[in-house]
Amino acid sequence: MDSVGFTSHDHNRCISGGLQTVENFCKTNRLQLTPVRRRVLEILLQQHRALGAYEILDFLRDEGLGSQPPVAYRALDFLVKHGFVHKIERLNAFIACMHPGETHTPVFMICRSCDSVAEAQREPMHGQLGDVARAAGFVIERAVIEAEGLCPKCQG
């Protein structure tokens, strides 16, 4: 399982690589990455944590890119729909995908102390969930797993 969020990495490379991947995907698939959509993604990549829609709207408002909630929600809807951003239900917040443009099933590890989030990939048809689904004759098409606990920093 490859995870990002609780480990050290080149954050500038993470931001530039994430933006470049999304820009290329949008160009290849004829999707419109508007300035607001791009900026919302950039904010999420720069902050490297889950942000609520109103927190994102504060950034946009301060930069003169919009002050009404639909501005942020429309951008987030686009970014989530195309897999560039994930919604963390537990926090009612959004986080940039660490594997944009790849088909994957995210597993989120959420620190209950500091709210930091790490994303890992997992195939839902493997392991106990896959076993239970097969036994019931169920085909999993989409799964999102959110686990709550303590990150390495907060365990100390």
Side-chain angles (χ1 to χ4, degrees), residues 46-124:
Q46 288 171 340
Q47 294 299 308
H48 222 321
R49 64 184 178 92
L51 295 173
Y54 282 91
E55 290 175 283
I56 294 167
L57 186 60
D58 288 342
F59 281 98
L60 296 175
R61 181 182 302 117
D62 292 347
E63 296 171 14
L65 292 173
S67 60
Q68 297 300 314
V71 171
Y73 281 112
R74 280 194 295 265
L76 288 165
D77 285 346
F78 171 86
L79 295 168
V80 169
K81 177 182 177 183
H82 296 289
F84 308 139
V85 167
H86 298 295
K87 183 170 185 186
I88 308 295
E89 296 294 336
R90 155 79 176 70
L91 301 174
N92 192 27
F94 300 85
I95 192 163
C97 177
M98 293 296 101
H99 311 281
E102 296 178 22
T103 301
H104 67 286
T105 299
V107 174
F108 298 108
M109 296 165 281
I110 306 163
C111 180
R112 66 176 168 76
S113 180
C114 69
D115 285 339
S116 62
V117 178
E119 177 184 345
Q121 296 186 66
R122 184 76 180 161
E123 180 55 48

Side-chain angles (χ1 to χ4, degrees), residues 3 10-11 13 16 42 52 54 64 68 71 75 92 95 116 130 136 138 140 156:
S3 67
D10 183 344
H11 191 58
R13 186 170 169 223
S16 62
E42 192 174 44
Y54 282 91
Q68 297 300 314
V71 171
N92 192 27
I95 192 163
S116 62
F138 184 78
I140 298 172

